[in-house]
Amino acid sequence: MLLRFRGPDGTFRLTVNPSDDFSSLQSKLLENLPEDVDSSSITLSNKPVNGRARRLKDLKGVPISAPGLSHGDILFLKYDRQEALTNGHSKNGAPSSSTAQETLSSSSNRLNGVPVSSAEDASAPPLRVSAPKETAQNAWETVQQAELDDRLDQKDGKIARPRDQKMCRHGPKGMCDYCTPLEPFDANYLAEKKIKHLSFHSYLRKINSATNKPELNSSYVPPLSEPFYRVRKDCPAGHPPWPDGICTKCQPSAITLQRQPFRMVDHVEFASPQLIESLLNYWRRTGAQRVGWLYGRYEEYTEVPLGIKAVVEAVYEPPQINEIDGVTLLEWEKEQEVEEMARLCGLERVGVIFTDLLDAGTGDGKVVCKRHIDSYFVSSLEIVYAAHLQAQHPKATRWSNSGQFGSDFVTCIVTGEEDGGIDVSAFQASVSAVEMIRARIVEPSAEPSVMLVQDEDDVVEDGSAVTSRYIPEVFYRRINEHGASVQENAKPSFPVEYLLVTLTHGFPSDPNPRFLADGFPIENREAVGESQDLHAVAQSLGVTRGKADQDREFRSLSNFHLICYLHGMGILSKEEEALFCQVATTHDLADGFQLTSSPGWATLVAILQESEMALIV
C-alpha cells in the first residue's frame, strides 16, 4: 500500500504493509526527514489543521490498516527539531564531551612520545566543555514595549452599539447586524465621528487580521516593517558595494507617496494653560521666537478607538539663541540631568514646541496669520526637523520585524490664526518621511509648501569619505481637475502634505496638573532679566533670615524648573532627590514632612538663610 506523508519540509511517499505496526514507520520516516528531527516528537494527523493528531510513539501495537487507511491516502506530519549542538557535540554519532574526555584521559603518551605517569595523569584538570549557546531570538520576541502598548494590545477594541429600537427584532440578550460591535477601524464610524486618521493600534488590528490568521494555526509573522530607501550594504550577490556596484537585490524600489492612514499619537493634551502662557510671555517681552522640550507621559485617548494621547506636564527651555524669524539651539550640557529628574517624576520627553509669531501692529495683541490654505500649514524645514527628532525617539513594538516602528514624538507650533488669535497646532512626520530624511532623498525648499527631491549627481560628505547618492524614483498620487487619481513624478518637488500627519490638541475639562507652582524663574532666560539663583529659591520656598514657611514650602516644591535647579546644586542626596520628586508630583504631606526633616533639606535651608542675610548686609 502506498501512503503519502506531508510535513514542513516537503512531501514524500512510502510503500508499507497494511498489517505492519505503526512503530515500523519510524525508521522509514527518519530517512526522509532532516537529521535534526526529534523522533519522539513525530505526530501523525489526517488533516493539516484541527485533525485527529496522534504521536507516533503512542501508536505502538496499532496496525497501519486500523484507522481505515487505503492506497494513496495522505498523512500530515508535525515534529520538533533538536537544538544545534556545538563544542564537540555532533548529530551524526561524533563523540560527546564525556567521550572526548575519556579518550584524552586514556592516552598514555605525550605528544613527544614520553609516557605520562599515573600521578601526573591524576592531577590533570578535567576537560571543560562550555554549554551550547542558545539561538538568538527574533527582535519582536525580545523587545520591551511600553506599558500602555501592552494594555492596548490586550483590549478587544470593539466599538459597542446600543440596540436599535427600529431594526432590532431580538430580545435584550440577542444581537444582530444592527447592534453588533464594530471593529475599531470601521470606516463608517470614523467618518461619522470625523476622525481623520486611524489610531496606531486600530491600524494594527486591521493589517494583522490579514497577515496572521490564528484559525490556520500558522506561525506568527509581524505585520509591520519599517520602510528602507537606502542601498543595502550586505547584498548577497557578491558584487562590489555601492557606488562601485549595484543590483536589483540591494537597490531600493521606487517610492510612491500616499497620505499615511494612521497616526502614532492621536491627541496632545496640555495639563495647564500656564504651560503655553509662559512660553508666550517670552515672545511678548522680546518679539523673538522660543523653543521648549515637552515632558509628560502617554495615556489612552478614549475619544478615538484604541487611541493614544501625549499629556504634557512641563516645558523645559534649553540653551538657545532667539531671533525674530527663528531659533538656534546651543549645546545642552545638562540634558542627561534633566532627563533623570523627569524620570524620577514619572515623566519622559514626549515632544517639542516652538513659536512662530509676528505682531500685527494693531496694539490689541493680534498676530499675523502666516499659515492658511493659500500658503502652508507646516513648512518643509519643520518637517525635516520633526523627522530628525522622531528618528532619535523610535517606538518599540513587537508588531514589527525590527522591534521598532515609527515614533510617539510630537511637534507643536504656537502660531497665529486667521482672526488674529494665537493657537497651537500639532503634527508628526510620517514614517516614510523619517526614512526619506534618513536616506537623504529630500531636502527642505525655500518655498515652505514643497519639498525638494535631491539629484543623484550631488555628492555628500560622510565623515572623511565622499560617496555618490543613490536616489530612487519618487512618485505621488493626487486628484486631478477631472476627479481622477493620477500618479505624478515628485521631481523636482512635491507638496509637503504627503509627509505629515496632523494631530488634535487641547486642555482637560477638569485640570489636575502634577506641578502646581509657577513662581520659580524659567531656565536660560537671562536675556530678559530672569535668572535662577539662591535668592529666587529662597523667595519661592518662603525662606527668610530666621525661619522657613513650611506650608509655603510644600506648595512651591511642585515645580519642575525648581527640581532641575536644586539637582544642579548637588545638596540633596539621591534618596532625597527621589523623595523630592515624589512630593512635587503626588503632593503628599507625609512625604513632605519626611523631606523637610532630612539632613540635606536642613543644609539647603541653612544655605538659603545665610544667602538672604548676606543680601541684607
Side-chain angles (χ1 to χ4, degrees):
M1 182 172 62
L2 183 68
L3 292 180
R4 293 176 295 163
F5 296 87
R6 179 176 298 172
D9 295 286
T11 304
F12 56 91
R13 295 177 294 181
L14 293 179
T15 302
V16 299
N17 190 345
S19 60
D20 288 347
D21 194 281
F22 265 103
S23 59
S24 64
L25 291 176
Q26 180 169 334
S27 58
K28 297 181 180 180
L29 291 175
L30 291 177
E31 293 177 359
N32 294 273
L33 296 177
E35 296 181 356
D36 58 349
V37 170
D38 186 2
S39 60
S40 61
S41 65
I42 297 177
T43 304
L44 300 176
S45 177
N46 61 331
K47 295 181 181 180
V49 180
N50 300 328
R52 294 177 297 172
R54 296 285 298 274
R55 287 187 178 271
L56 182 61
K57 64 179 183 179
D58 297 335
L59 297 176
K60 186 177 181 179
V62 179
I64 297 177
S65 59
L69 296 175
S70 58
H71 181 76
D73 284 350
I74 183 171
L75 294 175
F76 296 91
L77 296 173
K78 288 185 180 180
Y79 43 80
D80 299 330
R81 297 179 182 271
Q82 298 176 349
E83 294 184 359
L85 303 178
T86 58
N87 296 328
H89 294 67
S90 175
K91 293 174 287 189
N92 359 332
S96 63
S97 60
S98 59
T99 308
Q101 182 177 347
E102 293 173 3
T103 304
L104 291 176
S105 300
S106 61
S107 177
S108 59
N109 295 333
R110 291 191 177 95
L111 292 177
N112 57 9
V114 180
V116 181
S117 63
S118 58
E120 292 177 354
D121 189 46
S123 60
L127 178 65
R128 299 183 62 183
V129 180
S130 60
K133 295 183 179 179
E134 296 182 358
T135 57
Q137 293 182 332
N138 295 316
W140 63 84
E141 297 175 345
T142 59
V143 68
Q144 185 69 27
Q145 287 191 149
E147 183 181 352
L148 175 60
D149 291 322
D150 290 335
R151 292 202 309 268
L152 292 176
D153 285 344
Q154 297 173 359
K155 286 198 170 186
D156 179 67
K158 296 291 184 69
I159 304 170
R161 293 191 295 175
R163 185 171 178 267
D164 194 321
Q165 299 298 332
K166 295 182 178 179
M167 306 301 297
C168 294
R169 304 299 182 185
H170 52 77
K173 295 185 178 181
M175 188 175 295
C176 66
D177 293 340
Y178 298 99
C179 59
T180 303
L182 301 174
E183 294 289 348
F185 47 84
D186 185 78
N188 294 330
Y189 176 83
L190 297 178
E192 179 184 352
K193 298 296 182 180
K194 297 182 180 181
I195 300 174
K196 187 176 180 181
H197 298 277
L198 288 172
S199 66
F200 175 64
H201 284 269
S202 297
Y203 177 71
L204 279 179
R205 303 292 172 90
K206 182 177 181 179
I207 62 174
N208 189 56
S209 61
T211 305
N212 296 294
K213 299 183 181 296
E215 62 273 10
L216 298 181
N217 198 21
S218 58
S219 58
Y220 171 74
V221 177
L224 294 175
S225 60
E226 288 192 304
F228 191 83
Y229 301 148
R230 289 160 284 173
V231 178
R232 297 188 180 276
K233 298 181 179 180
D234 53 349
C235 182
H239 59 76
W242 171 262
D244 297 329
I246 194 171
C247 69
T248 56
K249 294 182 180 179
C250 59
Q251 72 178 16
S253 303
I255 305 170
T256 301
L257 295 175
Q258 294 181 349
R259 287 181 172 85
Q260 185 169 285
F262 66 94
R263 51 191 177 190
M264 307 298 296
V265 176
D266 302 279
H267 184 74
V268 180
E269 179 180 288
F270 293 91
S272 171
Q274 184 62 30
L275 297 174
I276 305 298
E277 191 66 24
S278 62
L279 200 66
L280 289 176
N281 285 337
Y282 186 91
W283 171 78
R284 293 191 179 106
R285 297 173 64 178
T286 64
Q289 312 306 325
R290 193 70 172 167
V291 173
W293 297 114
L294 304 178
Y295 283 92
R297 63 190 181 276
Y298 297 103
E299 293 182 353
E300 183 179 358
Y301 185 49
T302 56
E303 299 298 323
V304 176
L306 299 177
I308 296 176
K309 67 178 178 180
V311 181
V312 180
E313 296 285 356
V315 178
Y316 187 93
E317 301 176 8
Q320 54 192 282
I321 298 177
N322 308 102
E323 300 176 3
I324 296 177
D325 58 348
V327 177
T328 302
L329 292 178
L330 304 177
E331 183 181 358
W332 188 12
E333 299 179 352
K334 299 181 180 180
E335 180 177 4
Q336 297 302 324
E337 299 178 10
V338 176
E339 292 286 330
E340 177 63 19
M341 292 299 100
R343 186 189 63 81
L344 292 177
C345 294
L347 308 177
E348 60 180 307
R349 201 188 312 188
V350 299
V352 64
I353 187 172
F354 55 88
T355 61
D356 183 22
L357 299 167
L358 181 63
D359 186 39
T362 57
D364 55 357
K366 291 186 177 181
V367 297
V368 175
C369 178
K370 299 180 181 180
R371 304 164 189 261
H372 49 80
I373 193 172
D374 296 325
S375 60
Y376 66 97
F377 289 100
V378 179
S379 69
S380 56
L381 182 61
E382 292 163 351
I383 292 178
V384 172
Y385 179 59
H388 278 296
L389 295 177
Q390 290 176 211
Q392 297 173 7
H393 300 82
K395 179 186 181 70
T397 175
R398 66 181 183 87
W399 300 96
S400 173
N401 55 4
S402 62
Q404 61 184 28
F405 184 84
S407 173
D408 288 340
F409 202 85
V410 301
T411 303
C412 300
I413 307 174
V414 184
T415 186
E417 292 185 303
E418 294 184 1
D419 59 355
I422 297 176
D423 196 12
V424 179
S425 61
F427 75 96
Q428 282 186 305
S430 66
V431 177
S432 297
V434 175
E435 176 56 25
M436 293 181 75
I437 299 300
R438 187 185 287 117
R440 292 176 288 194
I441 296 176
V442 296
E443 61 181 353
S445 169
E447 185 179 351
S449 61
V450 299
M451 187 77 74
L452 295 178
V453 179
Q454 299 189 11
D455 295 329
E456 281 188 4
D457 298 335
D458 295 343
V459 294
V460 294
E461 296 185 1
D462 187 7
S464 59
V466 178
T467 59
S468 297
R469 200 176 329 190
Y470 182 86
I471 306 297
E473 292 291 333
V474 182
F475 303 94
Y476 69 95
R477 302 197 69 87
R478 69 177 183 90
I479 305 298
N480 63 7
E481 60 275 11
H482 304 292
S485 177
V486 296
Q487 182 170 285
E488 298 281 351
N489 194 327
K491 289 185 178 181
S493 63
F494 62 93
V496 297
E497 284 77 12
Y498 289 90
L499 300 181
L500 65 90
V501 180
T502 57
L503 316 179
T504 60
H505 71 280
F507 301 93
S509 56
D510 187 15
N512 185 24
R514 288 196 178 186
F515 301 108
L516 305 178
D518 54 6
F520 190 71
I522 298 176
E523 59 282 335
N524 302 311
R525 286 196 175 186
E526 291 78 6
V528 294
E530 295 183 17
S531 60
Q532 296 178 334
D533 51 22
L534 292 178
H535 179 64
V537 176
Q539 282 189 328
S540 179
L541 298 181
V543 177
T544 60
R545 288 178 296 168
K547 63 177 182 177
D549 188 351
Q550 199 170 60
D551 293 337
R552 186 176 177 183
E553 279 181 343
F554 292 159
R555 293 193 303 270
S556 57
L557 289 181
S558 186
N559 187 292
F560 186 70
H561 308 284
L562 177 62
I563 293 173
C564 296
Y565 180 76
L566 291 183
H567 171 74
M569 294 179 62
I571 298 176
L572 302 179
S573 64
K574 295 294 184 181
E575 294 76 12
E576 292 169 341
E577 283 184 348
L579 183 60
F580 185 15
C581 294
Q582 183 175 350
V583 174
T585 54
T586 61
H587 322 125
D588 188 86
L589 291 179
D591 294 334
F593 282 113
Q594 182 180 354
L595 174 64
T596 55
S597 303
S598 63
W601 190 261
T603 304
L604 173 63
V605 172
I607 293 175
L608 295 178
Q609 291 176 347
E610 289 294 329
S611 65
E612 289 297 294
M613 292 183 65
L615 289 176
I616 295 177
V617 174

